[in-house]
Amino acid sequence: MSTPVILVIDDMPDRLDSVSVTLKHRYAGDYQIIAESSATAALRRLGELRDDATPVVLVLTAVFTTAGHAELLGQVRGLHPSARRVLLVPRVGSDEPSLRVPTSLLQDRSVALPVLEAMALGLVESYLPAPASPSDEGFHRGVSELLEEWAHLVPRDRPAVRIISDDGSPRSHEIRDLLGRNSIPYLFQSANSPSGRQALRAAKASRSPLPVLILHTGEILSDPANQEIAAAFGLSSLPAATVDVAIVGAGPAGLSAAVNTASEGLSTAVLEREAIGGQAGSSSLIRNYLGFPRGISGASLATRAFEQAWSFGASMSIVGAVNRLRPDGDGYTLDLATGAVLRARSVIIATGVSYRRLAAPGMDRLTGAGVYYGAISSEASAFGGQHVYIAGAANSAGQAAVNVARYAARVTILARGASLGARMSQYLVEQLQATANIDVRTTTEVVAADGHTRLETLTLTNRLTGSTDTVAASALLVLIGAVPHTDWIPDIARDERGFIVTGPDLERLIAPSSGRLPSETSMPGVFAAGDVRSGSIKRVASAVGEGAIAGASAVQYLCSAAVNHRQLVAQPR
Ligand SMILES: Cc1cc2nc3c(=O)[nH]c(=O)nc-3n(C[C@H](O)[C@H](O)[C@H](O)COP(=O)(O)OP(=O)(O)OC[C@H]3O[C@@H](n4cnc5c(N)ncnc54)[C@H](O)[C@@H]3O)c2cc1C
């Protein structure tokens, strides 16, 4: 791969010089730093770099006084979809101190407007105040985070796993999704390509059932189950002894609960059926989570939370779903789908919700082969140049459309209702309207999906007129709502839609007063947090907050249980 490029654009020569010197000072060893003084020259250069297959990592452009930057940034996306686009906010003078948010932006809203608009419309991934000096560490922190995000998006020179499989194989898609969502870098090679055949020969696996996984250690896995893949990366061990807290689900709620129980000295095991990070892990950019003013990708948030829980001593496994919870003496036994068993004194349920399925002929057969449930942000780049349809009209559908439109030639949102406004945030509606390659078909639903080995066409019906047409489609992402994952705990009190009822709400269901701790369920010592809880706000921040409350409740429950039994269960560090 040729040396990746960081491109700086500014029409003020002094500023352009100062930013490029700062970048060269720190990054010239690993990146080419290119400076251009106009949008036209920058676009020409970006075209040349694309033709040479030279990757562009960062495009930093000053807020131009003309409207030029919006147009420029829109075109960057078409030329280099993985490039992180950054709006540079110029300093008022060379002696202006390095402030996180420059005073000029805080004092005058009209100065801040182009920056805020570019963020809201998704024209940039971030903004950065121009560096005050070559050693402006605040500036470099922002740049490093963007470089790290880019490295996560592009195929790796040194992947942890090479996957060799037939194109369009549903199992290969599942494995890539599993690895991508668990932040394990992989490289996919088609078994029909010369490099794929060569890799299979070198691994002596030409006759092995596909997909074949070649691990960085040299170990070969042929058509492996998820548990085997988890074991290869140390994500499959279950504690043999009874743990203080078992947490089911490793989304934001479960990981937050784990940080809060493990940091209080409780032995904590997190059981996850597929991917650390949960739904949030599949979000391309979370902008409303406190502490990340320029947003954070779901994958980065999940990796950080996982590491934080691990650093306090929580054990993590992604060995498969927990499919039964049984009272057992003074605690509970959890049965896993794999046949494994874990015993715990208390349990936190943070299993979130599952996507609602779209019932139409062909959908099940083509799931994983052009039809996908969820936003699959880790694979959005695979839609390069294609026409992708998205069924759904809520925020998750809008975010997926914006993300996929970075790569796809065209994205069409299929909404059953007459407009998007009812269930989608206004900022997203505006972002969709501002994105040239996204269109919306209202009062429309999918009535059939068809294709030989993968999705080729969709049949759509207009619910008002009854007219039907069949359109060519490379992919369909289905984001049409969700149901809580609670069917494995039939004995727990749930509301009419299946969400788990907790705390004071239980008093309506259980008489007399239940006296339960906050977030405790109808089963003593079993707590619920996040999307799965009745009345929850379906957001990352609220899931994290609820996880913290459930963790604190578990600590309180075990401490009082310990006092009752005159034995110390929880030993704060
Ligand atoms: C595409 C997308 C974008 C989003 N963007 C945003 C955003 O920008 N901002 C925002 O605030 N919110 C956003 N959300 C919503 C947010 O992701 C959720 O509200 C949040 O993830 C809920 O966290 P949770 O831990 O409760 O559940 P989840 O994140 O759903 O995690 C639950 C976990 O439990 C696991 N699980 C389920 N059943 C079992 C079982 N039986 N055994 C073991 N494990 C099990 C699941 O595999 C999953 O990993 C987005 C959601 C989506 C889908």
Side-chain angles (χ1 to χ4, degrees):
M1 185 164 80
S2 10
T3 309
V5 165
I6 298 178
L7 178 69
V8 199
I9 312 154
D10 198 335
D11 51 6
M12 301 286 282
D14 288 356
R15 290 194 320 217
L16 181 63
D17 196 45
S18 148
V19 176
S20 15
V21 166
T22 299
L23 289 166
K24 280 184 186 152
H25 193 69
R26 193 64 69 94
Y27 308 100
D30 295 315
Y31 301 92
Q32 300 179 58
I33 316 296
I34 299 177
E36 293 291 358
S37 58
S38 74
T40 316
L43 280 173
R44 193 171 43 242
R45 182 66 81 113
L46 285 164
E48 289 162 7
L49 292 166
R50 185 206 42 196
D51 296 345
D52 288 353
T54 301
V56 176
V57 187
L58 278 186
V59 176
L60 300 111
T61 177
V63 182
F64 292 132
T65 40
T66 59
H69 68 261
E71 202 179 309
L72 166 70
L73 291 164
Q75 294 193 41
V76 171
R77 187 154 79 166
L79 290 165
H80 295 274
S82 302
R84 313 276 82 195
R85 297 158 303 162
V86 182
L87 213 47
L88 273 180
V89 183
R91 297 195 169 269
V92 176
S94 57
D95 53 354
E96 192 194 0
S98 177
L99 297 169
R100 287 266 162 96
V101 182
T103 316
S104 56
L105 291 186
L106 292 174
Q107 279 174 340
D108 186 349
R109 191 86 186 161
S110 69
V111 176
L113 210 58
V115 178
L116 301 179
E117 264 179 16
M119 289 290 285
L121 296 179
L123 283 172
V124 289
E125 277 70 39
S126 192
Y127 67 89
L128 285 175
S133 70
S135 59
D136 183 337
E137 296 305 336
F139 174 78
H140 289 301
R141 188 179 61 111
V143 171
S144 302
E145 282 175 1
L146 290 158
L147 295 178
E148 198 262 349
E149 270 181 29
W150 176 82
H152 188 80
L153 286 175
V154 296
R156 309 305 166 87
D157 284 344
R158 300 178 60 191
V161 192
R162 275 193 294 157
I163 306 166
I164 299 149
S165 179
D166 291 324
D167 297 307
S169 138
R171 180 60 189 147
S172 151
H173 165 74
E174 280 170 16
I175 293 177
R176 280 184 277 167
D177 194 46
L178 177 76
L179 294 171
R181 291 182 59 200
N182 284 293
S183 295
I184 298 172
Y186 66 85
L187 182 70
F188 174 76
Q189 288 175 304
S190 165
N192 301 316
S193 69
S195 64
R197 281 196 293 270
Q198 162 62 21
L200 286 173
R201 270 196 304 277
K204 298 189 173 45
S206 297
R207 288 168 188 276
S208 304
L210 299 174
V212 164
L213 272 63
I214 305 176
L215 307 187
H216 61 108
T217 53
E219 191 184 345
I220 313 288
L221 302 178
S222 172
D223 191 18
N226 286 0
Q227 293 96 287
E228 282 179 80
I229 301 172
F233 289 95
L235 290 169
S236 72
S237 54
L238 280 184
T242 300
V243 293
D244 293 325
V245 191
I247 298 171
V248 189
L255 291 170
S256 162
V259 167
N260 281 280
T261 55
S263 64
E264 291 298 320
L266 300 183
S267 57
T268 300
V270 183
L271 308 171
E272 166 58 49
R273 65 178 175 177
E274 49 195 38
I276 308 257
Q279 275 196 61
S282 67
S283 178
S284 50
L285 191 67
I286 297 166
R287 284 198 57 211
N288 58 349
Y289 187 54
L290 191 72
F292 297 93
R294 297 164 202 151
I296 180 168
S297 71
S300 285
L301 188 64
T303 313
R304 291 172 194 218
F306 162 74
E307 189 181 339
Q308 197 173 2
W310 168 84
S311 73
F312 282 119
S315 75
M316 305 268 175
S317 68
I318 52 168
V319 284
V322 177
N323 59 13
R324 199 166 161 216
L325 179 65
R326 297 181 271 135
D328 180 0
D330 61 350
Y332 290 90
T333 291
L334 297 99
D335 297 314
L336 277 78
T338 55
V341 164
L342 178 74
R343 202 173 171 282
R345 295 188 179 94
S346 69
V347 178
I348 296 175
I349 298 168
T351 45
V353 294
S354 304
Y355 290 107
R356 209 164 261 138
R357 310 289 287 184
L358 211 162
M363 289 293 295
D364 285 348
R365 180 173 65 83
L366 294 168
T367 295
V371 172
Y372 306 104
Y373 285 87
I376 60 164
S377 60
S378 61
E379 303 241 344
S381 59
F383 297 133
Q386 302 179 1
H387 190 163
V388 178
Y389 285 78
I390 295 180
N395 278 355
S396 53
Q399 287 189 350
V402 170
N403 187 34
V404 171
R406 299 163 60 85
Y407 303 94
R410 173 127 235 106
V411 176
T412 301
I413 297 182
L414 305 171
R416 281 166 52 91
S419 73
L420 288 181
R423 291 172 55 225
M424 196 180 285
S425 301
Q426 187 55 26
Y427 85 91
L428 263 179
V429 174
E430 285 169 14
Q431 203 168 332
L432 297 180
Q433 285 163 351
T435 309
N437 61 338
I438 297 180
D439 62 82
V440 182
R441 282 181 67 159
T442 51
T443 62
T444 301
E445 63 188 8
V446 178
V447 289
D450 205 0
H452 182 50
T453 54
R454 56 173 294 117
L455 180 70
E456 289 166 22
T457 60
L458 289 172
T459 304
L460 309 174
T461 288
N462 184 310
R463 300 176 73 220
L464 286 184
T465 63
S467 66
T468 294
D469 60 336
T470 298
V471 294
S474 307
L476 170 69
L477 310 189
V478 184
L479 292 144
I480 54 169
V483 284
H485 198 84
T486 54
D487 50 354
W488 58 283
I489 12 174
D491 300 335
I492 212 160
R494 290 176 289 177
D495 68 13
E496 60 290 349
R497 293 192 302 141
F499 289 84
I500 298 176
V501 181
T502 56
D505 289 347
L506 275 174
E507 312 217 336
R508 280 189 290 112
L509 297 175
I510 304 174
S513 168
S514 64
R516 292 283 196 271
L517 288 162
S519 69
E520 194 169 7
T521 68
S522 59
M523 299 170 83
V526 177
F527 305 86
D531 283 6
V532 74
R533 199 184 61 76
S534 176
S536 61
I537 311 290
K538 308 285 182 288
R539 292 285 180 275
V540 174
S542 47
V544 168
E546 290 197 12
I549 295 170
S553 296
V555 172
Q556 204 179 334
Y557 170 83
L558 290 172
C559 283
S560 55
V563 169
N564 288 343
H565 293 92
R566 298 199 173 285
Q567 66 181 50
L568 198 60
V569 176
Q571 190 71 263
R573 279 184 184 147

